[in-house]
Amino acid sequence: MPELPEVESIRRELDRSLSGKKIALAEVLRASVVKNTEAGYFEQVMRSNAIERFDRRGKYLLGRLESGHTLVVHLGMTGQLYLSDASEVRKKHTHVIWALAGGEEMRFTDVRRFGGIHLLDTEDVSSISALRTMGPEPLDESFTLDKFRALFLKKRSGAIKRWLLDQRFIAGIGNIYADESLFAAGIHPGRDIASISETEIDRLYDAIRSVLKQAIAEGGSSINDYINARGQKGGFQDSHKVYGKKDVPCANCGSPLSSCKIAGRTTTYCRYCQK
DNA sequence: CGTGTCACCTGACAGC
DNA sequence: TGCTGTCAGGTGACAC
């Protein structure tokens, strides 16, 4: 589920609501969700700690703690990190709760458990190899068109969509936003990366950034499980042009959208509008 | 190094 | 009603 716009929506709300808040205690209900420490140690570090702020890197949430630790949360496919009143019944598959001073709780729920949590010294965050090797943030000011063009100069081969999904190439794009960006840019998802023209690279740069920005503005995409940190669904699924819309008329030309598998992922596109 | 496949888990849904 | 198969937003290990 959660790609850059969803994770960013969660980050903004948690940062707004929890910065400066004290954690009374944390409770690990399923130890395997905490990847790099014992549950007991995790709970011990959390007790009486405080949240400074929430950052994001790609699809990872980074909760910065007063103690100099960082809580690294990846939501996988079905993970949710949200605020809840302590009195609310816990959803099934709730694996960690943080009780905050004042009766509110942050909860981590993940049906499929592809997600997980690391607790690290802030300076050791890059011990997570995915974070160490992750490509640039597409919405950073420093991510200029020239930087994007430079990614293509390494004479790579393979389907462009595969590269968009590869977090080492560019951070935060998953199946939804790869398909939506390629549609917006008018590029066929199976095109070999080496064949993409300068004009197309420029169009793709604009497409990725505008799609991601619009998705954030609309609160992300809720297909099945995604909810924001306030437990609400996003709205961008209603603006999808291709994702999940096989056989639906193309928004641009009206012919039915096609679908295929690329890099093992279902891919939907318009065979007339995307060359 | 690039790529295909499987594995990790559970649930929803289609078809019989 | 219930069985079986398929599919799902992600990523990492492994074989070739």
Side-chain angles (χ1 to χ4, degrees):
Chain A
M1 140 215 154
E3 307 180 26
L4 187 153
E6 292 76 37
V7 179
E8 177 61 16
S9 297
I10 293 169
R11 185 202 71 76
R12 289 181 183 184
E13 181 58 33
L14 292 179
D15 190 61
R16 197 178 70 76
S17 298
L18 298 186
S19 292
K21 286 264 173 81
K22 200 103 183 160
I23 300 166
L25 60 89
E27 197 178 340
V28 176
L29 306 170
R30 182 183 281 269
S32 65
V33 160
V34 178
K35 301 298 181 184
N36 69 322
T37 70
E38 298 285 323
Y41 175 76
F42 183 92
E43 291 171 350
Q44 181 193 319
V45 170
M46 289 300 148
R47 188 185 308 272
S48 300
N49 213 324
I51 296 165
E52 288 185 339
R53 65 177 193 282
F54 278 87
D55 294 330
R56 180 188 58 74
R57 182 76 175 97
K59 301 172 190 172
Y60 287 83
L61 279 160
L62 306 172
R64 308 298 190 180
L65 304 176
E66 188 181 56
S67 59
H69 294 89
T70 291
L71 201 54
V72 180
V73 181
H74 195 289
L75 299 175
M77 296 270 266
T78 56
Q80 303 172 329
L81 191 62
Y82 55 99
L83 299 170
S84 190
D85 194 273
S87 65
E88 276 178 54
V89 176
R90 290 173 191 166
K91 294 187 204 182
K92 197 174 172 186
H93 305 296
T94 296
H95 306 309
V96 182
I97 63 151
W98 293 260
L100 303 155
E104 204 170 28
E105 288 182 355
M106 180 169 76
R107 297 180 178 177
F108 176 74
T109 299
D110 187 2
V111 172
R112 290 174 73 181
R113 276 180 274 138
F114 290 179
I117 299 172
H118 292 251
L119 176 62
L120 295 165
D121 288 344
T122 293
E123 62 209 39
D124 293 338
V125 162
S126 61
S127 66
I128 295 174
S129 68
L131 285 171
R132 194 169 56 243
T133 60
M134 192 171 288
E137 285 293 326
L139 297 183
D140 263 12
E141 272 183 34
S142 60
F143 187 64
T144 58
L145 177 56
D146 280 344
K147 294 263 173 60
F148 189 58
R149 286 175 175 162
L151 297 177
F152 287 80
L153 293 179
K154 298 173 185 174
K155 276 287 177 191
R156 306 183 203 240
S157 67
I160 180 67
K161 176 167 172 175
R162 169 184 293 281
W163 284 103
L164 291 183
L165 291 174
D166 188 335
Q167 303 299 297
R168 295 168 302 177
F169 184 75
I170 186 167
I173 297 176
N175 208 28
I176 295 174
Y177 297 103
D179 279 9
E180 293 297 324
S181 298
L182 287 165
F183 177 80
I187 299 170
H188 191 291
R191 278 275 298 286
D192 191 282
I193 193 168
S195 79
I196 308 286
S197 72
E198 297 249 329
T199 314
E200 288 172 325
I201 291 174
D202 296 359
R203 281 211 311 268
L204 185 54
Y205 173 81
D206 288 336
I208 288 169
R209 288 169 51 97
S210 66
V211 166
L212 293 177
K213 281 181 194 169
Q214 193 196 343
I216 293 169
E218 295 181 22
S221 301
S222 291
I223 303 301
N224 287 315
D225 303 288
Y226 172 68
I227 54 166
N228 66 22
R230 287 281 166 201
Q232 303 151 331
K233 288 178 182 288
F236 191 67
Q237 64 280 3
D238 298 333
S239 300
H240 290 173
K241 299 284 205 307
V242 288
Y243 176 81
K245 299 179 97 81
K246 173 176 154 58
D247 296 333
V248 171
C250 169
N252 190 38
C253 75
S255 64
L257 296 172
S258 309
S259 108
C260 65
K261 290 266 185 201
I262 293 177
R265 317 295 300 281
T266 298
T267 299
T268 310
Y269 64 98
C270 177
R271 63 188 182 282
Y272 300 108
C273 298
Q274 293 174 259
K275 298 298 177 191

